[in-house]
Amino acid sequence: MHDASLLSNTPPSAKKQKKAPAAKKAGGKPLQDIANESMNMDGPADLPAAKKKSATDQYQKLTQLEHIIKRPDTYIGSVERTEQQMWVFNSETSQMELRQVSFVPGLYKIFDEILVNAADNKQRDPTMKKIKVVVDREKGEISVENDGAGIPVEIHKVRHLTILQT
C-alpha cells in the first residue's frame, strides 16, 4: 500500500515541469473566415471567390438564444466528443486511477457549473450540510441537489412607463 510505484503516474509538481519550446506561428491570412462545424448550421464550408461584401452580407443578426444554439462552444467549450487521459475515481477499488476517458467538454463544463452553484449556496446558507448528485444512465439524467435554503422566488412588480409624443 505504501509502495512508491503507486505514485509513478501522478502529475509532477508545477516547479518540476519544463515549459515546452515556443511553437512557430503558422503562416496564412490573418482573420480569414473559418467555418464553424460544431453543429453544421453554418452552411457549406466552401467560401465564394473573394469579393468585397457589405457588413450586412458578411454578418448575421442573431438573438442571444440563436447565437447560443448556433455557436455553443463560445459559451461552454467544445461540443465534440474528445478523449483525454484523466484521473478518475474507481468505485470498485475506491482509488483514483489514470485512464483514457471519452467525454464532451461542454457537457463537463455545464455539470461543473451546476456543482459550483450548489456549493456556493453554502456561502448564503451556513446550515447547508450536503450536496447530492444522482447519475441515472438509463434515463440519461444527472440531478444535483443540496439541503440549503435555495433561491428565493418572488413576483416582481413592473412599473409601466407612459411616453407622450408631442
Side-chain angles (χ1 to χ4, degrees):
M1 193 71 173
H2 297 288
D3 187 2
S5 65
L6 287 174
L7 301 176
S8 64
N9 286 329
T10 57
S13 70
K15 291 179 184 177
K16 293 180 183 177
Q17 290 181 354
K18 293 183 179 179
K19 292 184 180 179
K24 293 183 179 180
K25 292 183 180 179
K29 295 180 187 176
L31 302 176
Q32 73 186 74
D33 291 334
I34 299 173
N36 182 339
E37 297 174 359
S38 65
M39 298 207 35
N40 289 335
M41 295 178 69
D42 287 333
D46 298 330
L47 298 174
K51 70 173 191 174
K52 190 70 175 167
K53 293 183 181 178
S54 69
T56 306
D57 294 333
Q58 196 171 7
Y59 300 102
Q60 287 180 315
K61 177 152 176 57
L62 302 174
T63 67
Q64 188 171 4
L65 181 59
E66 289 169 333
H67 192 267
I68 292 168
I69 291 169
K70 190 168 184 174
R71 294 187 178 83
D73 51 331
T74 304
Y75 299 90
I76 61 169
S78 175
V79 294
E80 302 295 326
R81 182 173 297 278
T82 187
E83 286 197 13
Q84 183 177 334
Q85 209 172 36
M86 298 177 84
W87 286 97
V88 295
F89 181 73
N90 183 331
S91 57
E92 293 175 5
T93 64
S94 296
Q95 292 184 335
M96 296 297 290
E97 63 185 32
L98 186 63
R99 67 176 183 216
Q100 198 73 8
V101 178
S102 176
F103 67 103
V104 177
L107 183 59
Y108 182 84
K109 173 66 178 159
I110 290 170
F111 180 65
D112 176 68
E113 184 68 23
I114 293 168
L115 282 178
V116 168
N117 288 346
D120 282 349
N121 192 53
K122 179 71 173 168
Q123 300 297 317
R124 293 184 300 276
D125 182 7
T127 64
M128 187 185 113
K129 300 291 182 220
K130 66 178 181 177
I131 294 176
K132 180 180 174 183
V133 178
V134 177
V135 178
D136 187 332
R137 288 183 176 205
E138 288 183 17
K139 291 182 180 177
E141 295 177 356
I142 301 174
S143 64
V144 178
E145 58 185 72
N146 62 38
D147 63 349
I151 300 169
V153 178
E154 61 185 55
I155 298 173
H156 294 271
K157 294 180 181 178
V158 179
R159 292 188 306 159
H160 293 281
L161 181 64
T162 305
I163 299 174
L164 299 175
Q165 291 182 343
T166 56

